[in-house]
Amino acid sequence: MRMWVFSGFMLTAAIQDFRKKEVELWVFALFGAAAFLMNVYVWITAETAPLWQEHLLSCSLGAGLLLLGKLSQGGIGAGDGLFFLTSGLMLRFWENLTILCAGVFLGGMYGLAVFGWNQMYGKQNVCKMTIPFLPFAAVPGIWMVVLSYKGA
């Protein structure tokens, strides 16, 4: 169930970020509330120990990004921090960290390609260009969802 909620959240946020370079607040509120209620249900009904510590640690990735965004005066968008804060309610720490690192790698490769292309062929100044991050984070996120359904 958590992967269905995560899939909906990830795709909605990535599409909005790709189209408008921002994610509307209702996306975080809706999916964050759904994930929180899902976790409360699991914590109440499960016979195993609750994973609230794991989710708290996973949410700390988003909190760290929000702090870095403040320190960098918007160099990292608040939407990226809110994405990982919200996804921390659905994913374990290592899953969330994997998506963050792979997304940074893919976005960096894209940025390097755009920079190289513009150095050789373009006349556009790309130094102040912004790149939406969540579409790149969605690629490893989709891969993770597919692997979870295959039982890997």
Side-chain angles (χ1 to χ4, degrees):
M1 179 66 149
R2 73 181 175 99
M3 283 305 193
W4 283 105
V5 174
F6 175 68
S7 297
F9 169 62
M10 177 185 53
L11 292 175
T12 303
I15 289 168
Q16 283 189 7
D17 195 27
F18 180 74
R19 287 185 179 165
K20 301 185 276 185
K21 290 190 180 177
E22 67 179 30
V23 181
E24 295 177 22
L25 195 55
W26 70 265
V27 174
F28 302 115
L30 176 70
F31 286 99
F36 180 76
L37 292 173
M38 185 175 56
N39 284 331
V40 168
Y41 175 76
V42 168
W43 294 338
I44 290 172
T45 60
E47 294 179 11
T48 61
L51 296 173
W52 65 270
Q53 299 100 334
E54 183 80 24
H55 288 294
L56 187 62
L57 184 61
S58 188
C59 288
S60 71
L61 291 173
L65 284 176
L66 287 171
L67 179 64
L68 285 173
K70 278 285 193 202
L71 294 174
S72 68
Q73 299 167 344
I76 298 172
D80 300 332
L82 289 173
F83 175 83
F84 285 97
L85 188 66
T86 306
S87 66
L89 295 171
M90 297 172 243
L91 302 175
R92 294 181 176 200
F93 174 77
W94 292 109
E95 294 170 330
N96 217 11
L97 183 63
T98 299
I99 290 173
L100 174 62
C101 292
V104 167
F105 177 76
L106 293 173
M109 291 286 96
Y110 174 77
L112 183 62
V114 168
F115 179 77
W117 180 264
N118 274 289
Q119 287 296 321
M120 291 191 294
Y121 305 109
K123 305 265 192 248
Q124 181 182 7
N125 182 8
V126 295
C127 293
K128 296 291 180 180
M129 184 178 177
T130 60
I131 298 172
F133 173 68
L134 295 181
F136 296 103
V139 173
I142 291 168
W143 185 252
M144 187 175 294
V145 169
V146 167
L147 287 178
S148 75
Y149 287 122
K150 286 187 142 190

